[in-house]
Amino acid sequence: MIMTSLKGTRAMCSEIILRQEVLKDGFHRDLLIKVKFGESIEDLQTCRLLIKQDIPAGLFVDPYELASLRERNITEAVMVSENFDIEAPNYLSKESEVLIYARQDSQCVDCFQAFLPVHYRYHRPHSHDGETSIVVNHPDLLMFCDQAGSRGMIRFRVPNFEMLGSLKSGGSLCFGE
């Protein structure tokens, strides 16, 4: 599969493995996002990976916590959504959006990873088994590379997954924009 970048240069669509893991239990969890690229992108050292993650109404990201993590150089993430109420329960809240710069993994030359603290919102009481499943939509992966004087942007799409599980997906998952 061939895709075009913004500047008209061509890049081969590589195999991408996206793994999103939910760490910790309870209302306060961490979303760890790992992305591994195949060999088609030659020099990932010149690339930056931006993850655009939609946060469903059943979860929230605390913008004050993100600011604190940025100050301590733990994560590079920012809320895009405005007029956001972190105290609202699930049934009164809206989806939100977070932009996260993934960092290159020191253990893997073709890998990037990002960390995002997420929190469950309160839900209406129900008589079922007491568990609620929240579907986290696929992130958009936006890669900007500056290779040998030519710059280009590539956008990748991946499928959805449920918050209580994890996702490991491979194959050709990209398309041109």
Side-chain angles (χ1 to χ4, degrees), residues 15-79:
E15 178 182 72
I16 301 168
I17 299 172
L18 171 75
R19 184 172 177 88
Q20 293 180 288
E21 298 177 46
V22 179
L23 308 176
K24 299 189 211 173
D25 293 319
F27 279 86
H28 309 286
R29 299 186 179 206
D30 294 326
L31 179 61
L32 181 62
I33 304 166
K34 296 181 177 183
V35 182
K36 179 173 178 27
F37 291 94
E39 298 174 4
S40 327
I41 300 176
E42 293 177 10
D43 186 10
L44 287 174
Q45 299 301 321
T46 67
C47 299
R48 294 277 326 244
L49 179 65
L50 180 67
I51 299 170
K52 181 180 146 263
Q53 181 68 62
D54 293 321
I55 306 297
L59 298 173
F60 72 92
V61 174
D62 184 344
Y64 302 107
E65 182 178 17
L66 287 184
S68 174
L69 293 171
R70 274 193 317 272
E71 286 175 6
R72 296 186 317 220
N73 202 27
I74 295 173
T75 193
E76 287 184 76
V78 65
M79 293 288 301

Side-chain angles (χ1 to χ4, degrees), residues 80-94:
V80 176
S81 307
E82 293 184 16
N83 301 324
F84 178 73
D85 184 0
I86 64 174
E87 301 294 331
N90 174 52
Y91 50 91
L92 295 176
S93 28
K94 301 175 189 173

Side-chain angles (χ1 to χ4, degrees), residues 124-142:
R124 289 187 191 270
H126 55 82
S127 60
H128 302 295
D129 62 5
E131 290 188 8
T132 301
S133 178
I134 298 172
V135 176
V136 175
N137 290 328
H138 63 278
D140 284 341
L141 305 176
L142 304 165

